[in-house]
Amino acid sequence: MPAGAVAPGPGTGPDAWGYFALPVLHSDRLVGKVDATADRRHGRLTVHAIHEDVPFTPEVTRAVHEELHDLASWLSLTAEGLR
């Protein structure tokens, strides 16, 4: 499994979090996972799902969205799928 990949936990389907889930770290805690794909041909970072291991506060939600936009920018892509 690639470094950073997260395997689904017991009792979940094989595609519960997508093929490659990015961990969400807030302060010193892992609080969720992001299922996203980079489509360089079309210039998009598509966020399919954000899985909350614990309920996100509005502050955490904003921080996750900002980080995903920063990641897309760093990759020279446009973030899509964020609500």
Side-chain angles (χ1 to χ4, degrees):
M1 183 173 292
V6 179
T12 59
D15 60 351
W17 300 332
Y19 174 73
F20 186 86
L22 299 169
V24 176
L25 178 68
H26 181 69
S27 296
D28 63 344
R29 297 179 49 214
L30 289 170
V31 296
K33 293 166 263 331
V34 174
D35 176 10
T37 54
D39 181 351
R40 291 188 179 277
R41 183 180 310 169
H42 294 104
R44 294 187 293 246
L45 175 71
T46 303
V47 177
H48 303 287
I50 299 173
H51 303 280
E52 299 177 18
D53 293 345
V54 296
F56 286 4
T57 64
E59 173 192 3
V60 172
T61 299
R62 277 190 302 276
V64 169
H65 285 211
E66 287 175 15
E67 289 297 327
L68 289 168
H69 281 287
D70 288 349
L71 173 62
S73 177
W74 183 69
L75 295 170
S76 299
L77 304 173
T78 301
E80 294 186 352
L82 293 171
R83 296 173 205 105

